[in-house]
Amino acid sequence: MTILDTIRTELVVLDMAGTTVLDDGVVEQAFQRAAERTGVADRMPWDEALTYVRDTMGQSKIDVFTHLAGGDRIAAERATAAFEGAYAEIVGEQGVTEIAGAADAIQGLKDAGLTVVLTTGFAPVTRDALIDGLGWRGLIDLALSPVDAGRGRPAPDLVLTALLRTRASSVAAVAVAGDTVSDVESGLRAGAGFVAGVLTGAHDVEALTAAGADAVLADVTALRSALAERGLLALSVTG
């Protein structure tokens, strides 16, 4: 396939915490507070629970807590609510910060004619608090949580819902970027035309490469250039 035959990117689906929003350990802190307040992880050593949380970064929080609770969905729902409350507390204490250059990167993608959707494993209330805290309401085109799509990552639902909501022409016209193995797997399962890992969050280059990422980037600011280098931007806006 030549560059002229390449399906150009129309839609970019970006993860939030660790990809566009600075995490700085906030997710782990919120998990710890939720676990302490609900006892959801008491059935296993804390180190084992924390390792599972790290390994499943990016996935729906209710799914993570269901595992920690040994399949007890009611306990998982209580823990998820506690997590969302704890996350809001920490954001209130510490504020919310973008990954350096993320807003400019998103604007650059939009200037290149692309639609930008943010996705997350957080509930809508937490997602929206982060977006409002960053002042990004007018910057992005859409934001989605698992409840909006059906299943959280690594299922393809969030990416496919973004495609349907924005009326992108095909999955091949979608680019996905995130900092976790789950982000990469979700993009691949959806059939996205380009799936990138970024190194500003939970997982390292080895994990993201092993998951099948088409590229592993230092951060989200490198995404537009990566798309342009592959001939995935409309020719009139690659400059």
Side-chain angles (χ1 to χ4, degrees):
M1 180 180 289
T2 68
I3 288 179
L4 291 178
D5 297 322
T6 300
I7 296 176
R8 302 297 198 276
T9 301
E10 301 168 15
L11 167 65
V12 178
V13 179
L14 300 175
D15 171 55
M16 292 184 66
T19 302
T20 54
V21 181
L22 185 66
D23 174 47
D24 202 22
V26 175
V27 170
E28 287 188 17
Q29 292 176 54
F31 267 114
Q32 184 165 359
R33 291 190 188 187
E36 290 171 349
R37 292 170 185 177
T38 65
V40 70
D42 285 354
R43 72 184 187 90
M44 65 178 69
W46 174 247
D47 287 348
E48 182 180 333
L50 186 57
T51 295
Y52 183 78
V53 167
R54 290 170 176 164
D55 289 345
T56 57
M57 284 289 187
Q59 295 186 20
S60 170
K61 300 304 175 278
I62 184 68
D63 292 341
V64 175
F65 277 120
T66 298
H67 173 85
L68 294 177
D72 185 338
R73 192 73 174 184
I74 294 175
E77 289 173 354
R78 286 197 300 267
T80 301
F83 169 83
E84 299 291 348
Y87 196 96
E89 288 173 6
I90 297 167
V91 168
E93 295 161 6
Q94 302 178 8
V96 56
T97 305
E98 66 171 89
I99 294 288
D104 288 342
I106 292 171
Q107 187 59 59
L109 292 167
K110 291 178 66 65
D111 290 344
L114 306 178
T115 300
V116 177
V117 174
L118 297 184
T119 60
T120 181
F122 296 143
V125 62
T126 303
R127 176 199 73 204
D128 293 344
L130 291 173
I131 292 170
D132 290 338
L134 291 166
W136 285 3
R137 187 65 60 181
L139 177 64
I140 61 169
D141 294 286
L142 181 66
L144 297 171
S145 294
V147 69
D148 303 310
R151 295 172 295 175
R153 297 179 293 238
D157 302 31
L158 284 164
V159 176
L160 296 176
T161 299
L163 179 150
L164 292 170
R165 295 273 190 95
T166 63
R167 299 181 181 274
S169 64
S170 71
V171 290
V174 180
V176 175
D179 65 294
T180 71
V181 167
S182 292
D183 293 311
V184 173
E185 291 178 346
S186 178
L188 293 174
R189 292 179 186 186
F194 181 73
V195 180
V198 297
L199 297 175
T200 48
H203 295 154
D204 61 19
V205 62
E206 289 80 9
L208 296 168
T209 300
D214 295 312
V216 178
L217 311 174
D219 56 44
V220 71
T221 67
L223 181 58
R224 181 177 172 178
S225 293
L227 293 172
E229 288 168 2
R230 290 163 174 77
L232 297 176
L233 295 184
L235 297 180
S236 62
V237 292
T238 56

